[in-house]
Amino acid sequence: MKSSRLLSILLLLETRGRMTASELAGELEVSVRTVYRDVDALHAAGVPLYGDAGHRGGYRLLAGHRSRLTGLYAREAEALVLAGLPAAADELGLGGHFADAQLKLRAALPAPLREHVDRLRARFHIDAPGWYAEDTEAPFLPRVAEALREGRVIAVRYRRWKEPTDVDRRLAPYGLVLKAGRWYLVAAPGPRTYRVDQIIDLTVTDEEAEVPAGFDLATHWRASQRDFHARLHQGEAVVRISPRAAAGLTGAAARALAETGVPEPDGWTRATLPVESTDHAHATFLALGAEAEVLAPAELRDRVAATVRALAERYA
């Protein structure tokens, strides 16, 4: 966005000094013509920006000039990390700090940029959870976030799906991840992933929690997601599927259809699709009704056929 690019130009010139239009264009991945227009916009906003001609020329700010992004408290700076997700900031207990940081950031902008940002804020809204996602309360999320910021080990009572359901764990927090409206804690030992809404009791200890050098939360999360999907889809089913049903496939099933699908004369497609289990596949393919036919494995085909016969008798 233009407003973000203008701020980037200011910060680049403040930190690096004189830069040519070509250098700025390279840093911002835009054309030199765009840099010229941005410089004109900064001039119009009253920014003391000057251009020097010649071989050693370039753009520079008036000596001593600094943008007025000052006065932010620590919690406000942390809240800016979640600038695109005000609801997330509120859940983490940073809602008030987020609002204060936004006000200070807005006040620091030149008038034309401030008006532009206000227009954008009125036109864009982020609602991360899916349409049919249930609201999940995570009452201990702010305390988990506080322990994470302070680098403290937490003692939790955690509710899991298998017996025994309620277990005690001592965890060293590595990071928090917001996925589809639900918060997950990545923590040692392991590290492993825990749903924050399944924490039913929590105590922040005085013990320091050290994150290993080189640990990158985003990289770890991507790897764990790949491992999860690999473990999830360990079976396969050969199916015939109609164009209508094929259009509704998503994720791994859609990718498998594209990779293994073979068109048949009637317009349907024969493909090998990944499945989690016989139970899950049974429910999935029944939901497609007459738009799909299971060919293999025989156990799954027989089970779907038995259910269809039972339904036919019930509605006869």
Side-chain angles (χ1 to χ4, degrees):
M1 294 185 295
K2 183 177 180 181
S3 57
S4 175
R5 202 168 59 242
L6 296 181
L7 287 173
S8 295
I9 290 176
L10 279 175
L11 294 174
L12 283 169
L13 294 177
E14 285 182 5
T15 56
R16 301 190 187 181
R18 183 184 288 110
M19 294 183 69
T20 67
S22 296
E23 290 171 337
L24 287 168
E27 287 285 343
L28 301 172
E29 299 182 348
V30 297
S31 67
V32 172
R33 186 185 296 272
T34 297
V35 171
Y36 290 151
R37 288 198 296 265
D38 289 346
V39 168
D40 288 340
L42 288 169
H43 274 302
V47 176
L49 178 64
Y50 297 92
D52 298 326
H55 177 68
R56 298 180 59 82
Y59 293 109
R60 60 185 178 87
L61 293 167
L62 183 68
H65 173 80
R66 289 290 182 271
S67 53
R68 294 176 295 149
L69 297 178
T70 58
L72 291 177
Y73 294 107
R75 288 291 181 266
E76 295 166 355
E78 291 171 359
L80 283 178
V81 175
L82 301 162
L85 295 168
D90 190 54
E91 290 175 1
L92 290 169
L94 294 171
H97 300 296
F98 172 80
D100 292 342
Q102 290 284 70
L103 286 174
K104 290 183 178 180
L105 180 61
R106 183 181 181 278
L109 296 174
L113 293 184
R114 186 163 59 245
E115 294 170 3
H116 180 66
V117 169
D118 287 344
R119 285 196 299 272
L120 289 178
R121 186 177 292 118
R123 297 292 180 268
F124 293 90
H125 174 69
I126 297 175
D127 185 9
W131 279 106
Y132 303 107
E134 297 180 359
D135 291 334
T136 55
E137 294 186 1
F140 292 100
L141 177 60
R143 293 178 64 187
V144 172
E146 188 70 21
L148 184 62
R149 285 193 295 266
E150 295 181 354
R152 299 294 180 185
V153 168
I154 56 177
V156 304
R157 175 160 281 268
Y158 186 76
R159 179 158 294 161
R160 58 184 185 174
W161 63 272
K162 62 181 180 179
E163 295 289 343
T165 56
D166 295 356
V167 294
D168 293 321
R169 293 287 184 266
R170 197 171 183 86
L171 306 175
Y174 284 7
L176 280 166
V177 176
L178 178 60
K179 171 76 170 179
R182 181 170 286 158
W183 287 96
Y184 296 88
L185 171 67
V186 177
R192 299 181 63 183
T193 301
Y194 300 85
R195 277 178 50 176
V196 179
D197 62 298
Q198 295 302 302
I199 295 176
I200 55 179
D201 195 16
L202 180 147
T203 301
V204 179
T205 74
D206 293 330
E207 182 182 347
E208 291 187 9
E210 293 186 5
V211 179
F215 176 81
D216 182 82
L217 180 61
T219 301
H220 169 81
W221 183 257
R222 287 192 294 268
S224 65
Q225 291 295 286
R226 287 193 298 269
D227 292 344
F228 171 77
H229 288 296
R231 294 193 305 270
L232 190 65
H233 298 116
Q234 294 185 342
E236 292 181 338
V238 180
V239 302
R240 292 181 70 250
I241 190 166
S242 73
R244 180 179 178 182
L249 295 182
T250 60
R255 291 192 296 272
L257 181 68
E259 294 170 0
T260 69
V262 177
E264 298 199 332
D266 61 357
W268 283 39
T269 301
R270 179 188 293 255
T272 301
L273 304 185
V275 295
E276 295 180 27
S277 64
T278 299
D279 288 345
H280 186 270
H282 172 253
T284 298
F285 292 123
L286 276 179
L288 295 177
E291 302 296 326
E293 178 187 1
V294 177
L295 303 178
E299 177 191 0
L300 178 59
R301 179 180 173 88
D302 292 345
R303 185 167 172 183
V304 171
T307 302
V308 171
R309 285 194 297 270
L311 286 171
E313 292 175 2
R314 179 168 300 170
Y315 286 97

